[in-house]
Amino acid sequence: MRKYELVCIVHPDLDENAFNGVIEKVKGWVTESAGTVDKVDVWGRKRLAYLVRKQREGQYVLFNLSLPATATAALDQNLRFQEPVIRYMITAVD
């Protein structure tokens, strides 16, 4: 298992239930692929440097994950097609 950090920028207009639903979906995908979510840190709403999908702001979330190296491709594909996720970045932490 390798350690990863996943930073997601979620659509700013989501209500609290929808926002928590996105976080729970990500946690579910990680546990389905035999990984664990070590920590979830909600950074809150921040202004973006430039327009992304016609949005000037986004809600930032940092996930600290432990995943098998082969599971990152599946997580990447799931996040790519998740409509409320504006941007995301998965990085390995060593």
Side-chain angles (χ1 to χ4, degrees), residues 40-79:
V40 177
D41 191 11
V42 178
W43 290 349
R45 184 181 220 134
K46 297 196 182 284
R47 185 168 172 82
L48 302 174
Y50 53 90
L51 282 176
V52 179
R53 294 191 191 172
K54 300 181 182 178
Q55 298 298 317
R56 291 222 176 265
E57 292 184 331
Q59 299 182 62
Y60 283 71
V61 184
L62 171 69
F63 296 90
N64 291 337
L65 312 171
S66 297
L67 278 174
T70 57
T72 57
L75 180 61
D76 182 56
Q77 186 158 0
N78 287 333
L79 286 167

Side-chain angles (χ1 to χ4, degrees), residues 8-53:
C8 293
I9 303 174
V10 182
H11 199 280
D13 295 336
L14 292 180
D15 63 349
E16 190 172 343
N17 289 334
F19 179 72
N20 290 332
V22 171
I23 292 174
E24 292 304 318
K25 273 188 186 177
V26 172
K27 286 181 181 179
W29 291 330
V30 170
T31 54
E32 283 175 10
S33 57
T36 60
V37 177
D38 302 328
K39 183 180 172 186
V40 177
D41 191 11
V42 178
W43 290 349
R45 184 181 220 134
K46 297 196 182 284
R47 185 168 172 82
L48 302 174
Y50 53 90
L51 282 176
V52 179
R53 294 191 191 172

